[in-house]
Amino acid sequence: MEKSILEYETVALDEQGGSVLVLDQTKLPGRAEIIRLHTAQEIWEAIYLLKVRGAPAIGVAAAFGIYVLAGQIAQGMGQGEGEEAFESFYRKFREQKEYLNSARPTAVNLSWALERMDGVCRQGHEAGGSVPEIVESLGREARKIKEEDIQVCRAIGEQGLALVKPGDGILTHCNAGQLATCRYGTATAPIYLGQERGYHFRVFADETRPLLQGARLTAYELYSAGVDVTLICDNMSAMVMEKGWVQAVFVGCDRVAANGDTANKIGTSVVAAVAKHYGVPFYVCAPTSTIDLATPTGAEIQIEQRPAEEVTEMWYRERMAPEGIKVFNPAFDVTDNGLVTAIVTENGIARAPFTESLAALKNLSGK
Ligand code: MRU
């Protein structure tokens, strides 16, 4: 029997810890291909080109990536020991860390994971560890980040499941699914847990222009899991809500500002506005690692701009817009906190006023 897409690991480390293995999402749903990333440029490009994508998966890929690169730095240094050896290692480590961090600006999980890895270097050094020992600790931390992601997503699923009933219609945008994480997804976690427990949800997956994460990834993974999923174009969400087919919207998130404004895939804020109009609750599912208390409001979130060709040419047999046309292609938008019913995290559910509720949930995680 053919292997289901859900049996593949989104991101992994090879057995020797010498390279990062990624399920290339640009090839889905046509082909499940695992690619091996070894150099800083390969890791950077895999993130930039969305071979690995979705905020939590990007964080895990970066953690594995910086571990692999740290191993290469240590090897290149030979047998040196002491303060000088650490300084030389740490300078190169930080250069690589900054480089990986520049791959995509909006998902805070990228810098969050890299900062956690940086902390391991500093703590290891303070505790008198040698460079090879620090590299070993980096490997342990990266594996831990991945394991935590699985547990966190499952916990988000439990929290989210309590907000819906068997038979409900659920709409989602982009892919905040298993393919965007290490298992379960965030927005899809309640759906997968409901599937395990016979909830029979009816899911509507927005296609998600321009990169079609909803069609290529969400519809694909939910369909593979046997979920009742219907693919719709982005401009159909109002119609399915007006018909009363949707009882809840679950979306993922790339960064939650301290006031509860949330950045997610472009088009998410439109869904939120439509949901408000039709009285459908709009839930943002996010690990506490995606809450960025250092960013006060959505206005301070840097929104990634992507190439025009993604809109005019990609996916079409021939170009579908006049040559030379101006194109605006932001990868994300910010949903105003006033449109968000609740933010579902592994530690609990945050509701307005978000400034207090988010800070409380973030503190519970201690990371
Ligand atoms: O550009 P992408 O595909 O990385 O955008 C992904 C999203 O917007 C997801 O909804 C978000 O990262 C949450 S993934 C659990």
Side-chain angles (χ1 to χ4, degrees):
M1 221 172 69
E2 209 183 309
K3 188 168 160 182
S4 154
I5 194 63
L6 294 157
E7 292 172 65
Y8 285 87
E9 294 207 66
T10 313
V11 196
L13 199 56
D14 74 352
E15 270 177 25
Q16 295 74 36
S19 40
V20 186
L21 305 175
V22 156
L23 172 63
D24 184 350
Q25 300 195 29
T26 61
K27 304 274 167 47
L28 294 174
R31 203 162 72 241
E33 191 180 310
I34 303 289
I35 51 170
R36 185 177 286 273
L37 314 171
H38 187 65
T39 66
Q41 195 182 345
E42 283 166 354
I43 300 163
W44 188 94
E45 277 182 7
I47 297 173
Y48 176 72
L49 295 173
L50 276 56
K51 291 175 188 233
V52 56
R53 47 142 304 278
I58 291 173
V60 175
F64 281 154
I66 197 69
Y67 162 60
V68 164
L69 298 174
Q72 292 169 14
I73 297 168
Q75 251 181 3
M77 284 173 36
Q79 295 301 313
E81 268 184 40
E83 194 58 33
E84 221 174 281
F86 175 76
E87 287 306 328
S88 157
F89 165 81
Y90 190 50
R91 189 173 35 79
K92 292 183 187 130
F93 174 93
R94 286 184 66 97
E95 277 168 20
Q96 301 286 36
K97 180 189 128 187
E98 292 314 319
Y99 176 58
L100 294 188
N101 197 33
S102 70
R104 296 191 75 190
T106 307
V108 71
N109 303 61
L110 177 58
S111 56
W112 170 86
L114 290 168
E115 281 312 319
R116 242 178 99 162
M117 298 295 277
D118 193 324
V120 168
C121 282
R122 284 181 275 112
Q123 282 154 22
H125 178 57
E126 274 158 29
S130 66
V131 168
E133 283 164 350
I134 290 171
V135 173
E136 254 180 60
S137 318
L138 286 169
R140 280 196 296 277
E141 188 73 3
R143 290 182 180 93
K144 197 162 147 212
I145 291 175
K146 178 173 174 174
E147 276 314 306
E148 281 175 14
D149 179 52
I150 298 172
Q151 289 157 21
V152 160
C153 287
R154 190 159 175 109
I156 289 174
E158 294 289 359
Q159 299 281 351
L161 195 60
L163 299 168
V164 279
K165 303 186 304 306
D168 273 357
I170 296 174
L171 186 139
T172 189
H173 187 76
C174 190
N175 175 265
Q178 171 154 320
L179 292 164
T181 63
C182 295
R183 218 174 148 200
Y184 304 112
T186 57
T188 57
I191 299 170
Y192 284 125
L193 295 197
Q195 177 79 355
E196 281 174 21
R197 296 170 199 176
Y199 271 54
H200 302 294
F201 292 131
R202 293 167 291 102
V203 178
F204 293 92
D206 275 359
E207 169 185 56
T208 317
R209 283 279 294 153
L211 294 181
L212 308 184
Q213 289 93 332
R216 295 187 303 108
L217 308 174
T218 304
Y220 180 42
E221 62 166 90
L222 292 178
Y223 184 63
S224 306
V227 173
D228 174 349
V229 55
T230 303
L231 177 65
I232 58 172
C233 298
D234 298 347
N235 49 9
M236 297 171 188
S237 59
M239 184 164 181
V240 294
M241 289 196 217
E242 186 272 330
K243 285 186 173 300
W245 294 347
V246 179
Q247 280 65 52
V249 175
F250 282 117
V251 294
C253 185
D254 285 81
R255 195 180 292 248
V256 182
N259 72 343
D261 290 346
T262 59
N264 191 48
K265 178 55 53 194
I266 189 71
T268 302
S269 65
V270 180
V271 178
V274 172
K276 178 119 183 164
H277 180 76
Y278 288 107
V280 174
F282 180 86
Y283 300 117
V284 175
C285 299
T288 48
S289 55
T290 306
I291 301 172
D292 178 14
L293 297 179
T295 297
T297 75
E300 289 82 38
I301 298 177
Q302 190 187 342
I303 300 292
E304 176 184 7
Q305 299 291 326
R306 296 198 54 95
E309 295 70 41
E310 291 181 349
V311 177
T312 55
E313 283 162 52
M314 214 166 172
W315 320 116
Y316 296 124
R317 201 160 290 151
E318 57 188 82
R319 191 183 164 87
M320 279 294 145
E323 289 288 351
I325 193 76
K326 281 197 289 185
V327 173
F328 178 49
N329 185 20
F332 303 94
D333 61 19
V334 173
T335 299
D336 187 89
N337 61 32
L339 299 174
V340 176
T341 309
I343 299 174
V344 183
T345 78
E346 75 276 20
N347 288 342
I349 297 175
R351 293 183 190 265
F354 288 108
T355 311
E356 284 98 78
S357 58
L358 288 172
L361 290 182
K362 182 83 177 171
N363 285 339
L364 279 179
S365 75
K367 293 194 181 82

